[in-house]
Every structure is written in structure tokens, then in C-alpha cells.
Amino acid sequence: MPNERVPTRAGVIEAAKKIAAILPPTPLLPVEINGTPCWVKAENLQPIGAFKIRGAWHRLTALSDAGRAAGVVAVSSGNHAQGVAWAAKRLGIPAIIVMPHDAPQVKLDATRALGAEVVLYQRPGEDRDAVAAAIIAERGGTLVHAFGDPWVIEGQGSAGIEIAAQLGHEPSRILACCGGGGLAAGLALACPNAEIYPVEPEGWDMVGQSLAAGEIVRAASDAPKTICDALQPIATKPINLDVLIGRSSPGIAVTDDEVRAAQRYAFSHLHLVVEPGGAAALAAALAGKVKLDLDTVIMLTGGNVDPHAFAQTIGGAN
Amino acid sequence: MPNERVPTRAGVIEAAKKIAAILPPTPLLPVEINGTPCWVKAENLQPIGAFKIRGAWHRLTALSDAGRAAGVVAVSSGNHAQGVAWAAKRLGIPAIIVMPHDAPQVKLDATRALGAEVVLYQRPGEDRDAVAAAIIAERGGTLVHAFGDPWVIEGQGSAGIEIAAQLGHEPSRILACCGGGGLAAGLALACPNAEIYPVEPEGWDMVGQSLAAGEIVRAASDAPKTICDALQPIATKPINLDVLIGRSSPGIAVTDDEVRAAQRYAFSHLHLVVEPGGAAALAAALAGKVKLDLDTVIMLTGGNVDPHAFAQTIGGAN
């Protein structure tokens, strides 16, 4: 389906207003990384534990009355699922969420607890977009794509408007955990003068590879495993890449070990619970893969992690 | 030594101004406990991971030039230690901290990393106040008591000034994790119309018992073990009890199991790392031991917990 609407900075500002009306700003916390003071934006402290609540709210509130009555369908490894389910519950909209069978149990449980109907698919193997399309063909409803949607991009970008207000000015650069590129594109629109660094798991750095190629590059069928369950879409979408090409800095890839080190750092130094995919940007900063300065902001995008997995990650420290 | 200075609300307001000049307010986060929306004050997100930075800063900045040159001595299980060490480092004041030999390793390490000299004592057995007095007799310096000090009480109370500013009005009640009663007394001064509930570990509820008796009650020599390492002083002090008698609600005691459940709740629902002693107030709320309402604030006072202990607590969930 063509996206006729193009995401804009005006749309991001409108999204920020809508979101400020229902959610307090997440904290922008001072941190010192490798001797350089900078900032972390604690989106893991959102009510659903992830920034995805932003795009979902902006998208669902933009539906017509008929659209609301028909319901929404989303595909997600878990955080977008919770964002859509949260917004749908609050607006009284029926929601069906297509999730991978191996999504973290906390994310499956939380999505169901928010009242959404969950349909599982096999990852890898089944095409999750096809599963969603089949549901819509049979039962109707509006697809709320996790990143390839103009309202979703604008909604995620509202975090950038908040950051600029909290800092008193635009950040110099933002390190953004990146799956399909919805957040990175939204931040690029929100903060037109900031450098945007998409940070992805090694082997799943499809935005970075697509930026380098100037066209969409799909993940290899034998792409390695990653602990960043939230950051492994097969490919970005044209609507995301169109915003990012010529605007984004080159992508950065991080290893699972770097991600675990970042989770441990957040635990012991920041006293924050961050899931693997939510720690990717911090991992890039700690590993010295991006220059930092006083006005650099590192996005901590989510905190939904199974307790046993988290216990293993931090219990293995030192 | 007599405390000639009495803590006052004016002193709390002065402390709040001094602290606002160097530290951003910690987040006041919305939470829903057993169906009732209320608030948590995330003092675990302070740079040292605990509210103790407040009292230490107010106390050390009040020293004369001669007092600064002579240095400070503190006794602490770890969070006050870090608060004093942090303030001392920033002000260029030499600091000696008397800590129990079984303090969490993260607290010992962090205190030393801040440049303080750490002197260990045996808990139980040795009188930590006597150890500190001997050091001062031999080497000089000012004792910075963890709770029985007017500046420390005022400094801790600055959290209440922040809360009132964040809410837009005084809270209806505050649930405060309580060791010696420095925070509870400070909050009572800061928010004269709020109900103050000191929450302590079972068997170490010396403030609660002292409030009930109308005089200071010391911990039994066979008091049970508690996981709340931060909340086990032998007794409160007159300066604390004088503020709290007739002003504080009765104390509340929580069990280790209730505290662990609160740590798990903070992990999975709030995405915050909270140490046992820092989770006591949340434990009382979750266990239904205090009535909650829209204007109730639950203090999360610290997040300094050994990773292995935390992994055990959350890994044992479900």
C-alpha cells in the first residue's frame, strides 16, 4: 500500500502536543561516559516501558470514527505491540497484534494484559506482514506499521521535541537504537540541526547498510542471532529511508557483548532496567564508536526484558 | 555531643535551593498500585544512586573554611557514605567513612572510587559511633551523622520541596523508607500538611517503636537479619524523634519477602533498579499496608545493590 502522506516536522510538533497532553516527559538524565558528560533519554520509563507509545498514540488518535470502529492490526516483536494495545485500550479501539512466537514472554503477557488479541507467527520463516495482510483482508481494520507509517514516524519524533525543550536547545547529536528506522526518521525531523546516528545490532544493521547503498538492503536469510529482539525487522521502508538519506550519519553496528555491557552499565550506574534493543545506542557510546559531547543525547528506548534473561546478563558481570 | 541547632522548614527551603543549583530534580513518576494511581519519587536516579546526596551537600556546604580544611568523618552502611564522599570530592574536603564490613561491595567500591578513605567495623558487635569518635579524637574533623544532624535532616527534606513543586501542591501523604529517621523528619518539615509514614524492616522498626513508646527504643541485640542493609541503625536520635513525635503517622514494618516483591515490581513495571532498603516504602504500598490516593508519593530512596543479589531477587520471580 502506498504511503501518500509524508511525515513532516509540523506533524512531529503536533504529535508532541498530543502526547504531552497525556504523558509526562520522560527524564533526560545526566551521565558521564568515558569521561564526557552527556545525556540519556529514559524512554524505558514510559508507562509501557518503551518509546513506541508515542507513534501508536499519534497514529490511533488520527483515525476517523469509522477507522476506530473497524479496529487496528499491528505487527511487532513486543514494544510497538504494547504501544498500540495501550493506545487502543485508552481509545476503545479493538486491536489485533501479530507477534513472533519467540517474543519475550513479558512482552506477550503485557500486550495481552492491555486487552489486545495476539496472533503468533514463526520467526524466521513466516512473513509477518503477510500474516497481518491476511487478517485485514478477512476481518478489516487499519494496519499500524511499526515504523513504515508517517504518523508513527512523527509520533516517535516527539521525543526529539521533548529533548530540545529539556536541554533548552537542540542536541548536537542523538544516538538512536534502530530497528526499521521510525525513531531515527522522527528524530531527524524533530531536530533538523542534530546529527542522527542509527545504532543497530551487527548483522541486522539494515538501515546502516541501506544508507550506505542508497537503497533498501534486506537482511540476509542467514543473518546471525541477536539478543536485540526489538531491532530485527527484515528491512527498512522507503518512507523511512527517504527521510534519512542525506540527513542521517552513517549507521553504527554493535555486538551482543557490547549490548550486554551497556545493560550492566545502566544497571549499576544509572539504576535503570534497559532491554537489549533499548541499550544499543548506549552500547555504541560506551564502546567509543561515536564522539560524545555535552549536548549529545543517547536514547534508552525500552526496558521490557524477561527477568531471567536480565538476571543472567547482570549476574555474569564481574 | 548536643545538637544545638534545630532543623527548620526555612532550613529545608534553603537546602532545596542549594541542591537545585547543582542537581536536577529526580523524576516523579506516575504509577498505579493495586488499582490506585499515585506517584513514585525516583531518588535511586540521583548521581550516587540515593537521596543521601541531599543531606551531605547541605551539611558540607555549611562548614566554615576551617571546618572544610579539617575534613569530615561519617558512619554509614553505604549510601550516606557515597553522599558525603561525593560532596567532599566536589568541595575538596578530605573524608573518612566508617562502614560495616558486610556492606554491599558496590557501596564500598563506589565510596572509595569517590576518593574517600574507608574504615571498616564489624556489624554487629562494634559501636560504629565509637569508631568514628575515636577517629575524630585522633585526627580531628567534623562528624557528619547519617541522620542525627540538623543540616542532614534539612537536606533530605529538600526532596519534599521538589515533590510539591512537581505535583503543583503538597502531597497528601508520603511513604518514606526509614532507617534513623533523617528523611522522614526532613519530609515532615518540608510538607507540613502531608501525612508522613516511616516504613522500616520488621525487627528494625526502631522509629516506629520509638513513636509508639514516645521515647527512643533501641534494636534488640538479637534483632533478626534483614536484607535492607541501609535501614538498620540501632536507634533513632532525639533530634529526629523530636520532629516526628506528634507529627508522623505510626510506623509501618515490612518483611524481606514484601521488599523483594517490591524490587521485582520496580524492575518489571517501572524499569527501575531499587535496592532492598530503597524498596521498603513501595513494599508497604503493594502489601496494602497504607491507604493510597492520587496525591500519595512513595519514596524510592536508593538503587545501590550488588548485581548477584539483584539477579537472585528478580530471577526468582514467577
Side-chain angles (χ1 to χ4, degrees), chain A residues 105-106 109 305-308, chain B residues 264 267-269 313-318:
Chain A
Q105 193 64 41
V106 288
D109 292 346
V305 52
D306 273 326
H308 291 286
Chain B
R264 285 195 285 266
F267 167 83
S268 60
H269 289 78
T313 294
I314 61 162
N318 307 320

Side-chain angles (χ1 to χ4, degrees), chain A residues 87-146:
Chain A
K89 184 181 181 188
R90 196 153 171 137
L91 296 167
I93 297 175
I96 303 173
I97 318 281
V98 179
M99 298 179 71
H101 75 288
D102 60 349
Q105 193 64 41
V106 288
K107 292 181 177 178
L108 292 166
D109 292 346
T111 305
R112 291 188 179 112
L114 286 164
E117 178 184 341
V118 171
V119 176
L120 298 179
Y121 75 96
Q122 295 292 316
R123 172 170 68 177
E126 271 188 283
D127 177 346
R128 67 185 195 169
D129 291 341
V131 175
I135 291 170
I136 291 171
E138 189 188 323
R139 299 169 60 178
T142 299
L143 178 71
V144 181
H145 197 275

Side-chain angles (χ1 to χ4, degrees), chain A residues 22 66 69 78 101 111 119 125 141 148 166 179 211 244 259 286 312:
Chain A
I22 56 154
H101 75 288
T111 305
V119 176
Q166 289 169 310
L211 283 169
L244 292 173
V259 166
L286 288 168
Q312 267 196 320

Side-chain angles (χ1 to χ4, degrees), chain B residues 188-255:
Chain B
L189 293 171
C191 300
N193 300 302
E195 293 175 12
I196 305 293
Y197 285 89
V199 183
E200 302 172 283
E202 258 190 19
W204 288 92
D205 54 331
M206 307 327 298
V207 167
Q209 290 189 35
S210 299
L211 283 169
E215 60 179 16
I216 288 176
V217 180
R218 293 174 63 85
S221 58
D222 61 347
K225 275 186 183 269
T226 167
I227 58 169
C228 298
D229 58 271
L231 305 181
Q232 42 178 338
I234 299 295
T236 184
K237 295 273 184 191
I239 190 173
N240 305 90
L241 202 58
D242 286 352
V243 172
L244 292 172
I245 281 182
R247 172 70 187 87
S248 173
S249 300
I252 296 166
V254 290
T255 67

Side-chain angles (χ1 to χ4, degrees), chain A residues 44-45 270-271 273 303-304 308 315, chain B residues 44 270-271 273 303-304 308 315:
Chain A
N44 61 322
L45 300 184
L270 305 176
H271 310 291
V273 177
N304 296 311
H308 291 286
Chain B
N44 61 322
L270 306 176
H271 309 291
V273 177
N304 295 310
H308 291 286

